Amino acid sequence: MNDRMKVWWGLDDGNVVGARRFCTHVGAVLIVHLAFATLLAQAQRHEGSFGTMKLSPIAKRLQELVGEGAKTPA
């Protein structure tokens, strides 16, 4: 993740001067990463097989819990 922040978001360009501005820039980048991760986690996925990988018992239970959470009204 450090490389992604440096290369894609330009945190090591030297364009941001001052500790306060740098910390604000890093915080904004982290918030955007969190927002995109949340959106991608909620996005509809293609139902199908991507290979012969088997889910562990923990992953199966998490998948069941996520399915139950989607069925309950908010």
Side-chain angles (χ1 to χ4, degrees):
M1 182 166 143
N2 288 339
D3 183 50
R4 186 179 308 138
M5 291 174 66
K6 288 180 179 180
V7 174
W8 293 100
W9 292 98
L11 293 181
D12 66 345
D13 289 349
N15 292 334
V16 180
V17 178
R20 178 178 275 169
R21 287 185 182 186
F22 180 77
C23 289
T24 304
H25 191 180
V26 171
V29 167
L30 290 175
I31 289 171
V32 170
H33 270 283
L34 178 62
F36 279 127
T38 303
L39 289 173
L40 287 172
Q42 294 174 348
Q44 187 68 27
R45 290 176 182 78
H46 170 72
E47 295 295 329
S49 175
F50 291 112
T52 58
M53 185 177 77
K54 304 290 185 203
L55 291 177
S56 70
I58 296 171
K60 286 181 186 177
R61 182 63 183 141
L62 286 173
Q63 192 175 42
E64 291 170 4
L65 289 173
V66 169
E68 291 172 5
K71 295 177 187 173
T72 58

